[in-house]
Amino acid sequence: MAAGVSIIEAIIDAGQHGQRLDRALADLLPDLSRERIKALIGEGHVRAKGETIKLSASAKVATGQRFAITLPAPAALDAIAQDIPLTIVHEDADLIVVDKPAGLVVHPAAGNLDGTLVNALLHHCAGQLSGIGGVARPGIVHRIDKDTSGLLVVAKTDRAHEGLSVQFKDHSIDRLYAAIVYGHPVPPSATIDTWIGRSDADRKKMAVHREGRGKRAITFYKIEERLSGAAMVECRLETGRTHQVRVHMAHIGHPLIGDPVYSRDRKGFKSILETLGFKRQALHAKTLGFIHPVTGSPLLFQSALPMDMQELLSELRV
């Protein structure tokens, strides 16, 4: 047997009789997600004992059937473990909640091959991560921009990854952001409901498009505090599109202060930002709530406004 390869055996009991193969095996093997099992079946890594036919995920099973599941060694991620300090808000066997500082990239990519959150998690978890999706890396379920601070959850097991992904897909995750924007939005609270996709003018940017182009994006905002020429705004996300808060607030004419992509420095603010050394969008993921994908317990986490945004807030108070 090749190094890193293991074989699991599963026997169908009366409770799984008549079920689809992928569902039955997911019930019997809770450490493997249904999506992972589907992939293994499609790759020919699941076989009925004593049979050589290739199975399909939708094949119906019967009581007493025996299956052998070959688990290849997880493909190596092209990233190295690095001892980067992390603020861990919560950790258990299935997931980690991290309070990310501004400036930390979530995942390695061109131009940021190391020094990322993934590099830090590979070191922190020290081999305790499962092969999520067949890849030996932490399960990045969602991301926040490099220069946005705040909370995000990372899956450590297939089961947690799948359960969290479902919650993000059905918009049941509770996500609140604190933003400091130019001007005073009118009305003081409202729902922004648009379609967001890549900008035609700049493919690195996102933009609001006509209905049906891109993906629907919904943000609920309300003014928390009126400031001098600005406002502290709370944004609740129903969807989680790339740059959603930044694009939506710019769309209604109140872009985030310091945003290098979707806003320009306004008169009277440039000197304040330079004095404070504030060089990012004023955006912080302050609240994250979800149902634990394994235990079923409700979890809610809060993150205090980081010092740089507190200082900006103090400067702008009337």
Side-chain angles (χ1 to χ4, degrees), residues 149-182:
S149 54
L151 300 168
L152 77 162
V153 58
V154 177
K156 293 170 66 175
T157 64
D158 275 10
R159 191 174 176 189
H161 193 282
E162 184 176 55
L164 289 168
S165 295
V166 168
Q167 291 182 61
F168 276 100
K169 187 174 181 179
D170 65 19
H171 312 312
S172 60
I173 300 282
D174 189 20
R175 284 175 290 172
L176 292 178
Y177 283 74
I180 305 177
V181 304
Y182 290 112

Side-chain angles (χ1 to χ4, degrees), residues 96-266:
I96 306 175
V97 178
V98 177
D99 196 343
K100 186 187 84 69
L104 181 64
V105 175
V106 171
H107 197 280
N112 292 288
L113 297 178
D114 60 8
T116 72
L117 177 63
V118 163
N119 297 108
L121 287 169
L122 287 170
H123 177 272
H124 175 79
C125 295
Q128 297 176 25
L129 298 165
S130 70
I132 296 168
V135 179
R137 68 172 177 84
I140 301 301
V141 185
H142 67 125
R143 304 183 190 191
I144 56 179
D145 299 332
K146 172 187 175 182
D147 290 323
T148 297
S149 54
L151 300 168
L152 77 162
V153 58
V154 177
K156 293 170 66 175
T157 64
D158 275 10
R159 191 174 176 189
H161 193 282
E162 184 176 55
L164 289 168
S165 295
V166 168
Q167 291 182 61
F168 276 100
K169 187 174 181 179
D170 65 19
H171 312 312
S172 60
I173 300 282
D174 189 20
R175 284 175 290 172
L176 292 178
Y177 283 74
I180 305 177
V181 304
Y182 290 112
H184 303 137
V186 178
S189 64
T191 299
I192 307 172
D193 187 347
T194 72
W195 290 72
I196 288 179
R198 290 287 170 187
S199 167
D200 292 329
D202 184 347
R203 300 299 291 173
K204 294 182 180 180
K205 295 175 63 175
M206 307 302 288
V208 169
H209 293 297
R210 57 175 170 75
E211 184 176 345
R213 186 179 170 197
K215 294 182 178 180
R216 191 180 182 190
I218 302 173
T219 303
F220 306 96
Y221 78 82
K222 66 176 180 179
I223 294 179
E224 293 282 281
E225 183 179 356
R226 291 171 66 90
L227 306 167
S228 178
M232 168 67 88
V233 174
E234 178 184 270
C235 294
R236 180 184 295 274
L237 301 190
E238 179 171 322
T239 57
R241 309 307 178 201
T242 301
H243 299 177
Q244 181 171 316
V245 173
R246 299 165 66 186
V247 172
H248 268 169
M249 296 312 295
H251 176 65
I252 65 169
H254 299 280
L256 273 59
I257 292 178
D259 193 327
V261 177
Y262 299 102
S263 70
R264 296 178 180 177
D265 291 337
R266 297 193 178 182

